[in-house]
Structures are given as structure tokens and as C-alpha cells.
Amino acid sequence: AAMSGALRRLRYDLAKQPWSLRYIFEKATQQTIPFGLTEAFGEDGRKEEEIPAMELMRRINEQVLDTPLCSRMLFRGEAMAPALSCAPRFASAASARTQAMNMLVVRPLRHEETMPGTYDRVGRRWFFPRPARVGDVVAFVHPDTASRPAEQQVVLVRRVAALEGDVLVSGDEATPPETSETATYEIPPGRAWVTADNPAMDLSRAPDSRAFGPIQIAHIVGRVIYYVRSATDHGPVANHPASADDDASVLATEVRPESLAEDLFAETRADAKEAPEAPPTPP
């Protein structure tokens, strides 16, 4: 359930991709403004060196105009089945040399938890935040690897079951084991409770918040909005209805399944070459 390598940006051809007003709005509020604020004030909001307005605009045009909002990542495993399944559909798992993979499209989520220092610097105002909601499928850094360098971090994909202030009742499948003798468990500030979709997977194979507790909102990489298994097997990921509405214009503009399928095929072939030969099937 971890990604393979770092998230990589999607690509699009500015000459061929029509931009709707809704997409321009999303790009402006979720990419241009955050990038401009970061350049002006720094990641932590403490940068004091002033950048001339024209230089700031030049950087924004250079970095934002031809850079899509979304990134892509590889996903393997059955933790999120049936929503995201990598099991072979037309061949037995035993006959496959390598397990199938999905190519996932991940959009970043911009809100006060992702840029707290800058958020404070601009008077605790944020333009049209895009937070994770209960029901969203999100990619996040595994808590046990969050302190490692970026290239050594493990990214998991799980569904948000509860957010700050939500109360879990003992006995629910999402209830943390350590609270089995208490009646309720309230999600702490700045945290999210995430769970795997597949009830058949145990925690040793598909760890979630029942194993490592609520994750930090700041560790969420983004919301998973689209999956591609092949050129003919792809579609949007089921998220909260409000999130799906926020993501609709981004999907229409940035996601090209045929291109992602080609990338997935290339990645799968490379993965197969590195995998050991499968043992012979017994008669």
C-alpha cells in the first residue's frame, strides 16, 4: 500500500487543454496563492526578505502556469479493496509474476494545517480551503516514517473515518484497541482517524489508525481522486460528495487516463524485470 518512489507531477499540454473558469479558480486559490505566499513568506511564515512584486510574479508564472495541481503515484495491495483493488481480474494470482498495480492521481489539500506559519502571517485567513473530509480516500506519510528523509518515507492510502472533535464509540470497528474499556474516544485537534476499506485484511498486513493511532493532518499528502488499472479500467475514486464537487474541474482538465495507462504499463514492465522468476506451478 506504499507508493513507489516520490510523487510525480502529472503533465498537460497547455495548447490542447481547455481551462474552464472553475478550473482556473481552483488553480488560482489552491496553487498560485499558496506558492506566492510561500515564496513571499517562506514555508514557516518567518521569511523577512522582501521580494520585488515583478520578481514574485515571474516566479509564479514560471512555476505555476505549466505545472498541474495533481501528482501521480503507484499503489499496490488490497487494503482498500474493493474501491482500489490490485488483484488480477482475468488471471489467477499464482500465475502472475508480479502483483498488478494502480496508478493513482492525488491532489494536494490546501488549508491552515498544511501551511500553519504562513496562515498566521496572513492574519489567519485562507482563501477557499480544501481540507480532507470524512469519507475521503487520502494518501499520507506513515507516522513511523514521518521523521525520515522524504525519499525514505512510506506513503499509505486509507479512508478518513473521523476528524478532530469526532467521537468514536467503543465496539465500533474503528475504535482503537487501547480504548476497549472506555465508552468513547474523541479525535484530538489536528488529527484524523483513517481506516482500510477491506475488512478481510488484518492490521499486520494493512495497518491503519487502529494500529498507529490518529494521524497528523499535516502528514496528509493529498486526496486520491482517480485510479487507473489499464487503458480500459479506470475511474474516479469515491470520496465525500463535497470533495467530489471540488475535484470535478481538476479531473476534467488534468486527468488523461490513456496517458496514465501508458505510464503504468511502463512502470509495471520495469517492476516485472526486477522481480524474481515465479516458481513452476505444480502439476
Side-chain angles (χ1 to χ4, degrees), residues 79-143:
M80 295 302 294
L84 299 173
S85 177
C86 297
R89 296 196 180 189
F90 305 109
S92 65
S95 67
R97 287 187 56 198
T98 59
Q99 187 182 31
M101 292 187 286
N102 282 323
M103 184 72 78
L104 303 182
V105 177
V106 182
R107 75 160 292 173
L109 300 177
R110 306 296 190 193
H111 49 86
E112 61 181 281
E113 283 88 354
T114 61
M115 299 171 66
T118 302
Y119 182 75
D120 289 337
R121 183 71 177 264
V122 295
R124 299 192 63 77
R125 295 181 177 85
W126 192 255
F127 299 96
F128 306 98
R130 294 291 181 262
R133 299 179 175 94
V134 172
D136 285 352
V137 176
V138 296
F140 62 94
V141 178
H142 192 301

Side-chain angles (χ1 to χ4, degrees), residues 11 20 44 49 58 60 62 82 84-85 114 127 142 151 157 193 202 218 221 224-225 262 265:
R11 56 182 184 272
S20 66
D44 57 4
E49 176 188 357
R58 185 194 67 78
I60 290 174
E62 183 180 88
L84 299 173
S85 177
T114 61
F127 299 96
H142 192 301
E151 64 274 10
V157 174
W193 193 264
D202 59 52
V221 177
V224 181
I225 64 175
E262 292 175 1
F265 179 71

Side-chain angles (χ1 to χ4, degrees), residues 156-168:
L156 300 180
V157 174
R158 299 290 185 265
R159 193 178 299 275
V160 177
L163 291 167
E164 173 183 335
D166 291 340
V167 177
L168 303 178

Side-chain angles (χ1 to χ4, degrees), residues 168-182 184-187 193 203 208-214:
L168 303 178
V169 180
S170 295
D172 291 350
E173 61 178 15
T175 303
E178 65 270 18
T179 64
S180 58
E181 297 182 0
T182 61
T184 61
Y185 175 77
E186 183 173 340
I187 306 301
W193 193 264
L203 292 179
D208 58 25
S209 287
R210 292 169 294 174
F212 46 66

Side-chain angles (χ1 to χ4, degrees), residues 232-266:
T232 57
D233 187 354
H234 53 83
V237 175
N239 289 311
H240 187 285
S243 298
D245 184 61
D246 288 341
D247 300 336
S249 63
V250 178
L251 277 174
T253 305
E254 296 192 0
V255 176
R256 290 295 175 265
E258 62 279 6
S259 176
L260 290 168
E262 292 175 1
D263 293 341
L264 176 60
F265 179 71

